[in-house]
């Protein structure tokens, strides 16, 4: 039987990153790495902690004495929706490195659309010297961020530093200095002001399919970029890709940047690949730094074992 304070790891991340990060992690504890074939048949009874990203479905039956489940990422839909979980605390990954990476991606995408990066790349391929005008400034563009949690709030602050006019929307009203915010009921007012929509929402029953034709039609038409832009790095299940394609073709949207998709990997058949005004990244906006993840889990276990409350515990009823 494993030691009483063991940690089981089932992370479907790049294997080399997990192996490297495990060196020296969890000092004084037995670590059972399910990525190691030698552990395939291990008895997991008595193990109190699991660190998981898309774990094997049988894990929660086998590790029946778990006390805390740690998500390998900020999102928890990968576990809440796919398994019948024991009634235990689920802790999400919150870390500076992940937050910084996400804000880099969001700011990059907003600037890409503001500064016509796609159009200049096309001109360069065609050896065309042509200055695009007019050249709107960030202050002429309102970025509406949906989801004002750890990631949304940081993105809002960094977009403001770049000069964008930034507004935000979340389920409950959030106060962020210098930013107009809207709660769930204020969605129409929020959308009607938004030129670039940034999705940083978790996937829950309430947010599934939210980014659809009806929502795109309520964004501010016209505006400094010629029409609305849609950017999503939350979850692909919140978007209706057929509606994105139709909106782009009809001009209801003028451009998009997508890091997440209804089905991942995105099918080679998806029409999104072929659209000039769409930026596609392969769910790479903010990868988890595995060493930082293990340090975060170590800190939370230390709190738990000394009787302090765990941080970043998921509200299982709300789904995030
Ligand atoms: P948080 O839990 O900190 O924030 C979630 C935000 O979404 C909160 O502001 C919350 O509102 C809001 N929200 C949730 N449900 C609704 C709803 N129905 N209507 C309106 N607002 C809602 O999460 P994070 O900021 O840490 O992460 C957000 C998501 O980003 C993750 O769940 C994950 O899916 C995704 N992600 C993607 C990555 C990538 O690489 N593409 C990397 C990491 C995360 P309230 O403030 O009222 O609670
Ligand atoms: C996460 C992700 O949720 O990488 O952390 O998607």
């Amino acid at each position: 039987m494993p030691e009483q304070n063991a940690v089981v790891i089932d992370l479907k991340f790049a294997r080399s990153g997990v192996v490297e990060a495990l060196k020296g992690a969890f000092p004084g504890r037995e670590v059972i790495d399910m990525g190691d074939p030698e552990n395939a048949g291990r008895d997991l009874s008595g193990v109190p902690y699991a660190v998981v990203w898309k774990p094997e479905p049988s894990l929660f039956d086998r590790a029946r004495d778990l006390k805390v489940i740690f998500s390998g990422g900020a999102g928890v839909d990968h576990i809440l929706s796919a398994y019948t979980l024991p009634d235990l605390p689920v802790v999400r990954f919150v870390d500076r490195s992940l937050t910084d990476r996400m804000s880099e991606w969001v700011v990059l995408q907003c600037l890409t659309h503001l500064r016509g990066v796609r159009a200049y790349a096309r001109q360069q391929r065609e050896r065309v010297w042509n200055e695009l005008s007019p050249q709107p400034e960030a202050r002429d563009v309102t970025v509406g961020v949906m989801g004002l949690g750890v990631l949304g709030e940081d993105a809002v602050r960094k977009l403001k530093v770049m000069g964008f006019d930034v507004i935000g929307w979340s389920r409950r009203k959030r106060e962020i200095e210098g930013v107009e915010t809207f709660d769930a009921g204020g969605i129409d007012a929020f959308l009607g002001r938004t030129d670039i929509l940034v999705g940083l929402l978790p996937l829950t029953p309430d947010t599934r399919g939210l980014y659809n034709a009806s929502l795109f039609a309520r964004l501010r038409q016209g505006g400094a970029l010629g029409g609305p832009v849609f950017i999503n790095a939350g979850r692909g299940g919140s978007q209706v890709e057929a509606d994105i394609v139709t909106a782009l073709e009809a001009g209801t949207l003028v451009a998009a940047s997508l890091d997440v998709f209804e089905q991942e990997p995105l099918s080679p058949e998806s029409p999104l690949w072929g659209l000039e005004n769409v930026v596609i990244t392969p769910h790479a906006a903010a990868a988890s730094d595995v060493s930082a993840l293990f340090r975060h889990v170590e800190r939370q276990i230390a709190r738990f074992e000394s009787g302090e409350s765990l941080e970043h515990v998921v509200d299982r009823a709300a789904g995030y």
Side-chain angles (χ1 to χ4, degrees):
M1 187 182 285
E3 287 171 16
Q4 285 303 300
N5 62 0
V7 182
V8 59
I9 310 285
D10 190 350
L11 291 170
K12 303 297 187 310
F13 291 160
R15 184 77 197 127
S16 55
V18 176
V19 171
E20 192 52 38
L22 276 175
K23 293 177 187 159
F26 303 107
R29 278 176 207 282
E30 184 183 6
V31 176
I32 304 171
D33 174 13
M34 298 309 287
D36 179 346
E38 288 200 352
N39 288 323
R42 277 291 295 269
D43 173 9
L44 298 179
S45 59
V47 175
Y49 308 115
V51 188
V52 299
W53 183 256
K54 301 182 179 166
E56 289 307 307
S58 62
L59 184 87
F60 300 113
D61 294 330
R62 293 173 59 196
R64 51 186 176 277
D65 298 315
L66 286 180
K67 295 197 174 101
V68 186
I69 299 168
F70 295 94
S71 168
V76 289
D77 51 295
H78 68 106
I79 31 182
L80 295 192
S81 61
Y83 310 89
T84 308
L85 287 186
D87 186 18
L88 298 174
V90 176
V91 174
R92 5 186 254 115
F93 182 36
V94 174
D95 184 68
R96 179 208 55 77
S97 64
L98 191 145
T99 305
D100 283 353
R101 281 177 180 161
M102 180 58 84
S103 292
E104 288 165 10
W105 188 88
V106 169
V107 172
L108 173 68
Q109 300 312 320
C110 290
L111 290 175
T112 293
H113 297 294
L114 175 72
R115 299 307 301 258
V117 169
R118 302 288 280 179
Y120 280 123
R122 188 167 56 249
Q123 289 190 178
Q124 184 175 344
R125 279 198 304 279
E126 293 165 0
R127 299 172 183 247
V128 171
W129 180 278
N130 172 47
E131 185 179 345
L132 299 170
S133 74
Q135 188 176 93
E137 292 179 58
R139 62 189 297 156
D140 303 326
V141 173
T142 300
V143 181
V145 178
M146 294 184 91
L148 296 175
V150 175
L151 302 182
E153 184 166 348
D154 192 69
V156 160
R157 292 191 197 290
K158 289 172 180 166
L159 287 163
K160 274 188 74 71
V161 169
M162 291 313 304
F164 287 101
D165 174 42
V166 188
I167 60 177
W169 181 80
S170 54
R171 193 160 64 96
R172 298 159 294 191
K173 177 105 169 120
R174 300 289 294 259
E175 298 299 335
I176 304 178
E177 203 187 322
V179 176
E180 190 178 354
T181 55
F182 300 80
D183 65 10
I187 187 152
D188 284 341
F190 166 83
L191 293 173
R193 292 262 314 277
T194 295
D195 298 308
I196 300 182
L197 180 68
V198 173
L200 285 174
L201 287 169
L203 180 61
T204 70
D206 289 342
T207 65
R208 184 170 290 282
L210 181 70
Y211 308 122
N212 59 23
S214 150
L215 180 141
F216 299 142
R218 286 179 281 153
L219 292 165
R220 172 155 65 191
Q221 294 299 310
L225 302 178
V229 173
F230 176 53
I231 294 176
N232 190 16
R235 280 291 181 266
S238 298
Q239 69 198 20
V240 179
E241 280 157 28
D243 288 4
I244 298 174
V245 172
T246 304
L248 286 164
E249 287 170 350
T252 315
L253 291 175
V254 296
S257 291
L258 304 172
D259 183 60
V260 288
F261 300 89
E262 288 174 41
Q263 296 286 329
E264 295 179 4
L266 181 63
S267 160
E269 312 304 323
S270 169
L272 288 167
W273 290 109
L275 297 177
E276 272 285 349
N277 47 355
V278 176
V279 175
I280 290 176
T281 53
H283 199 141
S288 295
D289 173 320
V290 192
S291 296
L293 168 66
F294 291 159
R295 285 195 296 274
H296 146 89
V297 173
E298 283 168 8
R299 273 194 305 276
Q300 295 305 320
I301 291 178
R303 290 178 69 92
F304 186 72
E305 292 185 346
S306 67
E308 284 179 80
S309 58
L310 291 163
E311 297 169 307
H312 316 302
V313 175
V314 170
D315 174 345
R316 296 272 291 268
Y320 66 97

